[in-house]
Amino acid sequence: MTRYENFKKEMLSDPEVRKEYEALAPEYDIIQAMIDARKEKHMTQKDLSEKTGITQADISRIENGTRNPSLEMLKRLAKGMGMQLKLEFIPEGQGK
């Protein structure tokens, strides 16, 4: 295990830290899915910006977690990558 994995395991053993970590999971899942999709399409942030009309700075802010995109913006980003946006509601405890 890496030092980070050990640190994460140790931190998540605290119930309060785990609760907050799990509360943020959906946001980080969306961010990671967007980054993965963009890279899968071999697109830079600049490429995606040109396809969507969303500034590269805003795309960067979304990807680093400092900007919360609207549902409409997520749909534009998906379309710019030639994809559709799909959201799901799943029973608690059945996530990753």
Side-chain angles (χ1 to χ4, degrees):
M1 234 187 256
T2 65
R3 289 189 332 203
Y4 170 74
E5 289 167 334
N6 285 331
F7 173 76
K8 182 178 172 182
K9 184 178 179 181
E10 181 182 329
M11 295 305 296
L12 292 178
S13 67
D14 179 328
E16 285 189 38
V17 172
R18 177 174 289 280
K19 181 179 176 185
E20 291 301 317
Y21 178 83
E22 289 172 353
L24 292 172
E27 286 88 346
Y28 287 109
D29 288 346
I30 290 169
I31 291 167
Q32 193 59 58
M34 183 180 141
I35 293 168
D36 292 345
R38 181 176 58 74
K39 288 183 177 182
E40 179 182 304
K41 295 293 186 172
H42 306 288
M43 295 178 82
T44 64
Q45 290 177 350
K46 184 178 181 195
D47 295 334
L48 187 54
S49 172
E50 289 170 357
K51 286 269 193 177
T52 61
I54 298 167
T55 67
Q56 185 272 328
D58 273 341
I59 292 170
S60 177
R61 287 182 192 106
I62 292 166
E63 290 188 1
N64 69 34
T66 59
R67 177 153 183 350
N68 283 332
S70 66
L71 185 56
E72 191 58 40
M73 184 177 281
L74 289 172
K75 291 190 309 190
R76 283 175 57 196
L77 290 164
K79 186 173 182 173
M81 293 183 278
M83 300 181 156
Q84 293 181 338
L85 179 65
K86 178 184 175 185
L87 298 175
E88 293 182 282
F89 288 88
I90 58 172
E92 288 191 33
Q94 290 188 6
K96 289 185 187 181

